């Protein structure tokens, strides 16, 4: 079996075309969705991510602004900025790029963002609403993964989904979303005994470990759906996922590549959340 590749870049382009038309309609009604991205410090990877977010926003007509602050910024100063953005009616979405410098408590910042503007979906209110199956801002990577599965009408209900990774931004919420879609979910992590035993039972395997080629065909059940979330930079500068794509694609039914997989979907879902935030606020 050779797997069907779910190209996240192509799917993202289709969704962005639809969103562009929607933003254009909103603009005609006088509503310009706006995203403010805050970067503290000068981490090159973070800079590249936020520039990607700004570019993608511009492509579909969302207005965006990047606020860059020095790494010496105090937690109090950042909280004051967030308070100002929370009260600015022209700002619909607020995203503080993580990681933050060590002297700033990430959780205090996440919890300071107005949940109605929390387009990253990290605020405990949004996480809790997602857990209880209520409408919420879904965190972008898990939301993108579910959208990829649905784009191919992949059955989730009744399937055994195995998630490797339990971070708050990827592993935990993607498992929760799969559960919300009626999958039977198993979480694996660094303390899991006999990882292969679990992964070989997965109808849907989501890999969010952060180590190149951590998973190869031996870990898979034949005909599995494999979602590779990992982004690892190799010594030659190229990007690769957590899954050994070449071997896995000979055994899986569906597989997402890296690059052009989950990454482009993550940014696209951020734009979707920003539009949702703009419409939500406009109704107030
Ligand atoms: P974290 O480092 O926060 O989490 C990694 C998870 O993998 C942890 O739960 C860890 O377990 C688990 N793990 C580590 N080693 C093993 C092992 N040998 N066996 C089983 N589990 C293991 O990473 P993130 O969740 O933030 O990101 C994961 C990957 O996804 C990274 O490559 C990141 O770059 C990428 N990413 C991609 C995005 C995209 O848009 N495509 C967005 C966000 C992240 P434990 O909890 O026990 O430590």
């Amino acid at each position: 079996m050779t797997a069907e590749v779910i190209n996240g870049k192509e799917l993202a382009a289709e969704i962005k075309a639809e969103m562009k038309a929607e933003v254009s309609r909103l603009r005609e009604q006088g509503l310009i969705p706006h995203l403010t991205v805050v970067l503290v410090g000068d981490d090159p990877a973070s800079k590249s991510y936020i520039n990607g977010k700004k570019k993608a926003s511009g492509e579909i007509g969302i207005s965006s602004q990047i606020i860059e602050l020095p790494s010496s910024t105090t937690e109090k100063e950042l909280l004051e900025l967030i308070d100002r953005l929370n009260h600015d009616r022209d700002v619909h979405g607020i995203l503080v790029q993580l990681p933050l410098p060590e002297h700033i408590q990430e959780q205090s910042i996440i919890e300071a963002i107005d949940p109605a503007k929390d387009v990253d979906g990290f605020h405990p209110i949004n996480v809790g609403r997602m857990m209880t199956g209520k409408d919420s801002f879904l965190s972008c990577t898990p939301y993108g993964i579910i959208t990829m599965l649905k784009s191919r009408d992949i059955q989730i209900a009744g399937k055994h989904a195995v998630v490797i990774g339990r971070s708050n931004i990827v592993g935990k919420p993607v498992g929760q979303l799969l559960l919300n879609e009626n999958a039977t979910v198993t979480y694996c992590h660094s303390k899991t005994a006999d990882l292969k035993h679990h992964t070989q039972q997965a109808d849907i395997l989501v890999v969010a470990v952060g180590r190149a080629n951590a998973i190869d065909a031996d870990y898979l059940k034949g005909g599995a759906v494999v979602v590779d979330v990992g982004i690892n930079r190799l010594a030659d500068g190229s990007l690769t996922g957590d899954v050994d794509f070449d071997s896995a694609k000979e055994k899986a039914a569906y597989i997402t590549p890296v690059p052009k997989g989950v990454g482009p979907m993550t940014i696209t879902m951020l734009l979707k959340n920003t539009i949702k935030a703009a419409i939500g606020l406009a109704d107030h």
Side-chain angles (χ1 to χ4, degrees), residues 154-162 177-185 201-204 221:
I154 289 168
Q155 192 182 335
I156 303 174
K159 297 295 178 187
H160 184 190
V162 175
L177 288 184
L178 288 162
L179 179 64
N180 290 359
E181 297 287 338
N182 297 312
T184 301
V185 180
Q201 297 176 46
D203 300 309
I204 299 170
K221 172 173 162 181

Side-chain angles (χ1 to χ4, degrees), residues 141 164-167 169-170 189-190 208-211 229-231 262-263 266:
T141 301
I164 317 180
R166 55 174 167 178
S167 70
I169 62 164
V170 186
H189 45 76
S190 69
V209 172
R211 188 157 50 82
V229 188
I231 301 178
V262 176
T266 296

Side-chain angles (χ1 to χ4, degrees), residues 152-231:
R152 301 300 161 105
D153 290 327
I154 289 168
Q155 192 182 335
I156 303 174
K159 297 295 178 187
H160 184 190
V162 175
V163 179
I164 317 180
R166 55 174 167 178
S167 70
N168 289 335
I169 62 164
V170 186
K172 278 184 202 153
V174 79
Q176 185 63 53
L177 288 184
L178 288 162
L179 179 64
N180 290 359
E181 297 287 338
N182 297 312
T184 301
V185 180
T186 300
Y187 285 97
C188 297
H189 45 76
S190 69
K191 307 291 186 293
T192 297
D194 200 355
L195 179 66
K196 209 179 261 184
H197 166 75
H198 296 285
T199 60
Q200 284 176 341
Q201 297 176 46
D203 300 309
I204 299 170
L205 180 65
V206 180
V207 189
V209 172
R211 188 157 50 82
N213 298 326
I215 297 299
D216 63 18
D218 276 355
Y219 284 77
L220 306 181
K221 172 173 162 181
V225 177
V226 179
V227 178
D228 188 355
V229 188
I231 301 178

Side-chain angles (χ1 to χ4, degrees), residues 226-249:
V226 179
V227 178
D228 188 355
V229 188
I231 301 178
N232 307 291
R233 198 168 285 283
L234 298 178
D236 66 3
S238 62
L239 289 184
T240 190
D242 290 348
V243 175
D244 172 12
F245 183 82
D246 290 338
S247 79
K249 88 167 189 308

